[in-house]
Amino acid sequence: MQQMQRSGQGVMQASQYARNLDNLEVGTTPADVVYQGRKLRLLHYKPMVEKMHPVPLLVVYALINRYYALDLQPDRSWVRNMLQQGFDIYLIDWGSPEPIDKYLTFDDYVNRYIDTFVDMVRDASGQERISIHGYCMGGTMSVMYATLHGEKVKNLYVTAPVIDVEKDTTVLGNLSKHIDADLLVDNYGNIPPEFMYLSFTILKPFKQGVNKYIDFVKHADEKDYVENFMRIEKWLYDTPAIAGETFRQWIKDIYQKNLLVKNQMKIGGKLVDLSRIDMPLLTVVAEDDHLVSPECSVPLNYHVSSEDKTLKVYPTGHIGMLASTYSQKHILPEIGAWLKERSYNHAK
Amino acid sequence: MTEEKSKSEEDNNQALKKMFDSWIETMNWIQNRTPGIPAVGPAAGLARNSVTISSELAQATESFTEFNKHLAQYYAKISAAWMEATRQVIAKCPMDISDEKAREQLKNVWIETFEQEFTTLFDSEDFAQVFGQMLKNEVKFNKHIRNLVEVISTNIGMPTRSEMDSVYKEIERIKNKLKEMSDNIRDLSKIRKETARVSR
C-alpha cells in the first residue's frame, strides 16, 4: 500500500517535471558563437585550462538529434572533460532544416559547411591542419570529409560512424532496407521529426521504452536522478527534421546500396574513397550500441591507408560513449591521451 | 482460426478493391464527357481538371485501403509477438509474487522476454517488409491528397508547393555558385600573395 502511494506521488511529481522540460538547462559550458547562419552555428568553447594543445578539435555532430548530447550536464559533459584536458574545441550546431533546406545534400554538408568551418578554425588557430571528431552520422560525414580534404585534417577521431551497413545488426539497419526513400522525400521534402521518433521508439521498446519509466517513477523523489533523466528525455525528443535530399542519399546510397564501404559513393561528383584516409585515425565503438552496431563501424579501420590507426571498443551504449559517468572515467581520458600525443606539430 | 480470419480480411480487401475499381471506371466514363460542359472563367479550370481531381481522389482511396491492409498485418504481427511473449512470461514467472523481491524478478523476466520477442520481430525481413509497405501506402495517400490540393490551388491562383520547390531549388543553386566563387577568390588571393612574396 505504501509503495503504491509512493508510486502515485512519483507519477504526480513526474508530470510537474514534464511541464518544466523547456526550462531544463542543457549545453551550459560557456562558448562563443563564431559563426551564425540562418540556423547553423559554429561554437567555440572557452578554455578551462591555461595551457592548451595547439591543434584545435572540430566536432561534427550528427544531423539527427541535437549537439548538446556532448554537454548534457556538467558532471557528464564530453565538452567540459575535453576542455579540462586542454583541447581547443569548436562544435557545429546544425540547427533545424526548414523547407528551403530540402535540397541540401551531403555535398553541401561536407564540401560546403564542414569545409568552410574547417577553414575558419584553421585561420583562427593558425594551424594548417586540425583534428576532427565525428559522432554517429557526423562520423560518417567526417570520414567523407577526410577522404576529400585530407590535406586539412591532422587527426580523425570518429565515434560510431555508419560505414558498412551490410554488417549492421540493428533494427534500424533492417527497417532502412525496406524504406522507399524516394517516395518519402518527394512527398514530405524534409523528413519530419515524427518519423525519427517512430524509428527510435521501436529500437529497444521494453528496456528503454518501458523499463526506464518504471525506474523513473521509483526514483521520482530523487532530484539528481530526475534531472538527469529529464535531460536525456529532452535530448531524445529534440530531434530536427532531416534535409530531404540528404536523407535520400543516406538511405539509398549508404543503407540500401552500401556504397560507402565499396568506395563507390559520390558526393558533389567526387568519389569518396576510404583508402585516401592516411592521417592518424581513432575509431571508438560501443559493445551495446543499438543504433549503429560495432560491426558496422569497425570496417573503417580495414579500408583506410593510415598507418597510425587505433580501434577502441567499450562496454557501453551509443549515448554512453558521450554522456555517462563511465565515459568520464574510462573513455575520455584514453581518447584525450591519444589525441594529445598527436596534437603537436612535431607529432607523427 | 487465424487463417480463417486472414482469409476473410483478404476477401474484404478484394471486395473493397473491386468496388473502388468500378467507381474509378464509372468516374472516368463521366469525366471523359466533362470537358464538353460549357464553363467560363475559373470554373473552366476546374472542369478541365476534373479528370485529374477525381483520379487523385480514387488513387488516394486505393492507397488508404492498401495502408489499412498493411496496418492490419502490422498489428497482427505485434499482437502475435505480444501473445507469445506473455505465454513465455507465464511459464517463467514465480508462482508466488507476494513479496517485493518476487515482483521485481517478475518485472525483470517480463522486460527481458518482451524485449527479446519484439527485437526478433523487428529484426525480421517479414516485419520490415510489412512496415515498409505500410509506410509507403501512408505516404502515397498523402501524395495524392497533396496533388489534389495542388490542382485546386492552381485553379484558384494560390502559390503551390511545386512553385515553392522551384524557388528553393534556385536558391540552392545560387548558394552553391556563391560558395564556388568565394572558393575561387580565396584561391586567387592565395596565388596573388604567393606571387608577391616570390617577386619580392
Side-chain angles (χ1 to χ4, degrees):
Chain A
M1 192 64 188
Q2 255 184 342
Q3 200 191 355
M4 273 176 74
Q5 256 179 349
R6 200 169 158 235
S7 299
Q9 280 169 353
V11 173
M12 293 295 286
Q13 218 161 348
S15 66
Q16 290 288 333
Y17 290 126
R19 271 181 226 133
N20 289 323
L21 207 58
D22 286 341
N23 303 327
L24 207 63
E25 282 200 325
V26 287
T28 54
T29 305
D32 292 321
V33 179
V34 291
Y35 173 87
Q36 169 82 65
R38 195 165 36 83
K39 286 283 170 186
L40 201 67
R41 296 190 308 162
L42 179 65
L43 307 179
H44 183 203
Y45 286 93
K46 292 190 186 298
M48 286 192 167
V49 292
E50 227 167 81
K51 197 174 179 312
M52 308 280 283
H53 309 306
V55 177
L57 174 62
L58 172 68
V59 181
V60 180
Y61 193 73
L63 301 174
I64 301 162
N65 288 105
R66 302 295 307 278
Y67 73 97
Y68 58 76
L70 291 122
D71 192 23
L72 268 181
Q73 62 187 62
D75 60 336
R76 292 181 184 188
S77 164
W78 181 97
V79 170
R80 206 170 270 261
N81 188 304
M82 295 301 269
L83 285 171
Q84 282 161 350
Q85 292 192 57
F87 292 100
D88 184 15
I89 297 177
Y90 291 81
L91 185 147
I92 305 172
D93 169 12
W94 295 114
S96 306
E98 292 175 344
I100 194 170
D101 302 311
K102 66 190 278 186
Y103 290 106
L104 290 179
T105 60
F106 276 121
D107 179 30
D108 297 297
Y109 280 109
V110 173
N111 293 324
R112 176 139 62 99
Y113 296 137
I114 298 180
D115 192 39
T116 302
F117 290 143
V118 167
D119 285 343
M120 284 175 74
V121 175
R122 288 165 68 219
D123 288 347
S125 64
Q127 296 288 327
E128 267 300 295
R129 294 182 301 151
I130 65 165
S131 299
I132 293 184
H133 171 223
Y135 174 70
C136 186
M137 188 181 191
T140 312
M141 293 197 292
S142 306
V143 165
M144 291 174 184
Y145 184 79
T147 67
L148 299 170
H149 305 270
E151 72 286 357
K152 298 179 187 176
V153 186
K154 183 160 177 62
N155 303 299
L156 178 63
Y157 145 40
V158 285
T159 304
V162 175
I163 302 292
D164 187 351
V165 178
E166 264 168 34
K167 296 195 172 71
D168 186 74
T169 56
T170 64
V171 165
L172 211 57
N174 181 38
L175 297 183
S176 300
K177 288 176 187 116
H178 295 274
I179 283 176
D180 189 336
D182 287 332
L183 189 66
L184 267 170
V185 175
D186 292 344
N187 192 53
Y188 287 123
N190 292 335
I191 301 304
E194 293 75 17
F195 179 77
M196 306 312 297
Y197 301 150
L198 172 74
S199 311
F200 295 149
T201 50
I202 59 173
L203 293 182
K204 279 203 166 187
F206 292 91
K207 276 189 182 157
Q208 291 197 350
V210 178
N211 200 27
K212 71 172 179 180
Y213 295 111
I214 297 175
D215 284 346
F216 175 73
V217 171
K218 271 192 204 164
H219 298 277
D221 51 354
E222 296 166 30
K223 192 171 177 282
D224 285 351
Y225 182 94
V226 168
E227 282 190 3
N228 180 23
F229 179 89
M230 295 310 263
R231 283 195 182 97
I232 292 178
E233 286 295 285
K234 183 186 170 87
W235 173 78
L236 270 177
Y237 290 97
D238 183 11
T239 184
I242 300 182
E245 290 304 321
T246 306
F247 181 82
R248 196 195 302 267
Q249 270 183 302
W250 179 245
I251 295 295
K252 288 179 74 177
D253 290 357
I254 298 182
Y255 271 93
Q256 293 177 347
K257 297 181 190 159
N258 203 20
L259 295 184
L260 191 58
V261 78
K262 295 175 185 164
N263 289 333
Q264 289 172 6
M265 184 159 176
K266 279 187 175 177
I267 58 169
K270 292 171 192 158
L271 191 70
V272 178
D273 179 356
L274 298 181
S275 69
R276 292 190 65 190
I277 293 179
D278 57 2
M279 68 287 301
L281 168 72
L282 170 63
T283 310
V284 179
V285 297
E287 275 172 12
D288 303 323
D289 196 330
H290 64 292
L291 285 165
V292 182
S293 64
E295 296 87 345
C296 173
S297 304
V298 169
L300 175 65
N301 266 43
Y302 308 115
H303 286 81
V304 297
S305 52
S306 314
E307 283 175 15
D308 176 8
K309 51 187 176 182
T310 309
L311 171 67
K312 297 227 176 234
V313 186
Y314 292 102
T316 182
H318 193 74
I319 188 70
M321 284 185 284
L322 295 185
S324 64
T325 312
Y326 176 81
S327 161
Q328 293 286 316
K329 282 187 187 160
H330 304 282
I331 304 178
L332 298 184
E334 285 185 21
I335 286 166
W338 186 92
L339 211 52
K340 183 182 161 188
E341 207 182 304
R342 293 158 179 85
S343 288
Y344 289 84
N345 287 323
H346 58 266
K348 48 189 168 180
Chain B
M1 185 68 185
T2 322
E3 263 180 37
E4 271 175 34
K5 200 180 160 197
S6 71
K7 191 173 180 320
S8 113
E9 267 171 20
E10 191 58 35
D11 289 346
N12 284 344
N13 287 331
Q14 285 303 325
L16 265 176
K17 204 171 178 318
K18 211 171 166 185
M19 185 171 74
F20 288 129
D21 285 346
S22 73
W23 281 0
I24 293 167
E25 268 177 40
T26 315
M27 277 192 283
N28 280 340
W29 185 85
I30 297 168
Q31 282 144 16
N32 286 337
R33 280 144 186 83
T34 46
I37 297 171
V40 288
L46 281 173
R48 194 172 51 244
N49 292 321
S50 63
V51 175
T52 318
I53 291 171
S54 35
S55 153
E56 289 296 342
L57 263 177
Q59 288 181 74
T61 317
E62 194 177 344
S63 301
F64 192 65
T65 312
E66 281 295 304
F67 166 73
N68 275 327
K69 183 177 125 187
H70 289 101
L71 184 69
Q73 288 176 1
Y74 174 86
Y75 278 122
K77 288 187 184 302
I78 297 273
S79 150
W82 184 277
M83 295 297 281
E84 175 56 24
T86 308
R87 192 192 61 74
Q88 286 180 35
V89 170
I90 292 168
K92 285 183 213 166
C93 82
M95 297 305 284
D96 178 14
I97 50 162
S98 52
D99 68 291
E100 192 161 341
K101 201 177 161 195
R103 282 197 295 273
E104 185 64 23
Q105 197 193 338
L106 172 64
K107 187 204 87 176
N108 291 340
V109 167
W110 188 82
I111 297 281
E112 200 56 52
T113 313
F114 272 71
E115 186 76 14
Q116 179 63 43
E117 196 59 35
F118 275 83
T119 304
T120 309
L121 171 71
F122 296 151
D123 255 342
S124 69
E125 172 81 14
D126 198 25
F127 178 83
Q129 271 179 11
V130 169
F131 182 82
Q133 283 299 319
M134 185 178 76
L135 193 68
K136 186 177 174 171
N137 283 291
E138 186 186 355
V139 180
K140 269 170 88 176
F141 171 74
N142 205 311
K143 182 181 118 181
H144 294 304
I145 298 297
R146 188 167 60 80
N147 290 346
L148 202 62
V149 173
E150 180 110 2
V151 172
I152 294 169
S153 302
T154 311
N155 284 332
I156 58 173
M158 293 289 286
T160 64
R161 188 172 141 172
S162 309
E163 286 166 354
M164 291 306 295
D165 277 355
S166 59
V167 174
Y168 296 152
K169 210 170 201 169
E170 185 60 14
I171 291 173
E172 189 55 29
R173 194 191 62 78
I174 294 169
K175 281 201 288 192
N176 280 325
K177 192 77 196 165
L178 276 174
K179 159 78 175 151
E180 198 185 309
M181 284 163 75
S182 65
D183 282 352
N184 287 343
I185 292 169
R186 194 187 163 106
D187 291 347
L188 279 173
S189 92
K190 255 189 200 168
I191 294 169
R192 213 174 128 189
K193 270 186 200 162
E194 191 61 24
T195 318
R197 194 184 60 81
V198 171
S199 60
R200 252 190 268 130

